[in-house]
Amino acid sequence: KVLKEVIMEHPNIEFLFIGDYDIETEFVNFLKSSSNALLLGKRTGSEMMSHLSSSDILMLCYKKMEGYNADNSHKVLEYLRTGKTIVSSSLSVYKDNTLLQFSEAIDNSDYPQVFRETLINLAELNSEINSIKRIRFANQNTYSKHVERIEKFMKIGLDGS
C-alpha cells in the first residue's frame, strides 16, 4: 500500500524492481500498469549491483509479519555497499545510526513522508562523505569480518588472554 502511494505520488521518478515476479498479485499488476515502474525480473549479482549503483535512492519496505524479522537482512548490507541513500522500514539493528532513512511506524504509514524528505535532502544524503560512511560500515560488517571477530573472541577465551 505505501509503495503504491510513493510511486503514484512521484510520476516523474522511475522505480526499478529487481527480482522474480512470477506471482500475479495486485501489487505486481499495479507495477506492470504503472508508467514509472519497471519490473526488471531476476538479474545476476553483477547486473543487480550495476542497477543499484546507478540509482539515486534504494528502497526497502518490509511488511511486518509474525515470525519474520528483516532487521539483519543481507539486503541492507548490499545496499549500504553501494553508498547510496536508503529509505527503509524500521530496522531495530540500525536504529541508532544515520546510515538509512527510516520509517518510524511499524505499519510503514510514514514511509511516503520519509521518502519525500529524502528527496528534499538527497544531495546531502548522497554526498561523498555520507556515501563513504555507508560503504565503510558495509565493509566492516561482512560475514567474514564477523567470523574474524568471533574467532578472535574465542581465541581470547581459550587462551585466557
Side-chain angles (χ1 to χ4, degrees):
K1 179 182 173 183
V2 295
L3 284 180
K4 282 171 104 173
E5 183 179 335
V6 170
I7 292 166
M8 291 185 327
E9 187 176 314
H10 302 283
N12 296 325
I13 295 177
E14 185 176 58
F15 294 88
L16 304 179
F17 290 84
I18 301 172
D20 196 1
Y21 299 100
D22 289 340
I23 300 171
E24 292 290 323
T25 64
E26 181 185 337
F27 183 64
V28 170
N29 288 331
F30 163 77
L31 294 175
K32 287 178 180 178
S33 67
S34 297
S35 61
N36 62 331
L38 183 60
L39 292 163
L40 298 177
K42 196 170 185 177
R43 296 288 186 241
T44 66
S46 61
E47 288 173 322
M48 185 179 79
M49 287 309 287
S50 175
H51 285 293
L52 296 178
S53 296
S54 65
S55 298
D56 294 317
I57 299 173
L58 306 177
M59 299 169 66
L60 292 167
C61 189
Y62 293 111
K63 183 177 180 181
K64 300 293 182 187
M65 294 182 288
E66 184 139 354
Y68 178 70
N69 181 351
D71 275 2
N72 206 12
S73 170
H74 69 282
K75 191 64 59 192
V76 175
L77 288 176
E78 281 179 18
Y79 281 17
L80 286 168
R81 180 65 183 95
T82 68
K84 300 296 182 162
T85 295
I86 302 165
V87 176
S88 176
S89 302
S90 179
L91 301 172
S92 63
V93 170
Y94 298 95
K95 71 177 173 153
D96 293 329
N97 67 47
T98 59
L99 298 173
L100 293 87
Q101 307 308 301
F102 287 112
S103 166
E104 296 291 332
I106 291 179
D107 65 355
N108 293 316
S109 57
D110 62 340
Y111 194 97
Q113 179 60 35
V114 173
F115 188 84
R116 284 189 292 274
E117 291 169 5
T118 300
L119 286 176
I120 291 167
N121 299 305
L122 191 57
E124 173 62 24
L125 291 167
N126 272 344
S127 68
E128 184 176 358
I129 192 157
N130 284 324
S131 180
I132 289 169
K133 286 178 186 178
R134 287 187 282 269
I135 293 168
R136 185 176 294 139
F137 181 88
N139 288 340
Q140 292 170 347
N141 287 280
T142 63
Y143 288 118
S144 59
K145 292 282 187 189
H146 284 297
V147 169
E148 286 175 24
R149 286 185 202 111
I150 292 167
E151 287 176 345
K152 181 179 175 183
F153 288 126
M154 288 174 66
K155 185 175 178 5
I156 290 170
L158 294 174
D159 294 346
S161 343

